[in-house]
Amino acid sequence: MEPHPTAASLVERKFHVLVGVTGSVAALKLPLLVSKLLDIPGTCVIRAWDCSKPLLFCPAMNTTMWEHPLTAQQVDQLKSFGYVEIPCVYKKLVCGDQGLGAMAEVETIVDKVKEVLSQHNGIQQS
């Protein structure tokens, strides 16, 4: 794995990042996530989705929902499209469950976005 791009390497190119949120307690982290994404030089405008661009998704739900077989099918379907999963994490959830289902930490998500943007930029320029 290559190191994360520096601010100088990212500022050379403009990126458009679309952040979509569905109903989840993880939506409470949205302001912090967007704030951190805006710190990436050049990166964030909401536009219509271009399916040729990378798509990352961060599941967040209670443990019972996460362990349901339909969830595994849906995650597998998204991955089969080439979308990148940023896996949920194990912790005590707001509903009281202790287990998998919490959204990844904001820094983990931002680091993965930087990595994917850097890789996508390298592929386009090849």
Side-chain angles (χ1 to χ4, degrees):
M1 180 180 287
E2 294 181 12
H4 294 298
T6 64
S9 67
L10 283 174
V11 81
E12 297 169 3
R13 179 177 155 82
K14 286 191 175 187
F15 297 99
H16 303 283
V17 177
L18 172 66
V19 178
V21 179
T22 59
S24 169
V25 173
L28 296 173
K29 292 184 180 179
L30 184 62
L32 178 59
L33 176 59
V34 171
S35 173
K36 294 287 186 178
L37 289 173
L38 287 171
D39 288 341
I40 300 172
T43 60
C44 296
V45 174
I46 297 177
R47 300 278 185 177
W49 187 252
D50 177 351
C51 292
S52 70
K53 306 294 184 193
L55 186 143
L56 291 80
F57 66 100
C58 311
M61 61 199 75
N62 72 34
T63 304
T64 303
M65 293 170 69
W66 178 250
E67 293 174 347
H68 195 282
L70 284 175
T71 303
Q73 289 176 357
Q74 292 168 342
V75 168
D76 288 344
Q77 182 67 57
L78 292 172
K79 290 161 107 177
S80 77
F81 295 148
Y83 300 161
V84 178
E85 178 187 11
I86 301 174
C88 60
V89 296
Y90 183 98
K91 68 188 258 185
K92 184 170 183 169
L93 307 173
V94 173
C95 66
D97 288 351
Q98 179 90 19
L100 280 174
M103 186 175 82
E105 294 300 321
V106 168
E107 289 301 322
T108 301
I109 296 168
V110 171
D111 287 346
K112 189 64 174 180
V113 168
K114 288 179 181 178
E115 177 187 322
V116 169
L117 288 175
S118 178
Q119 291 171 351
H120 185 72
N121 186 34
I123 291 169
Q124 285 187 333
Q125 292 181 356
S126 299

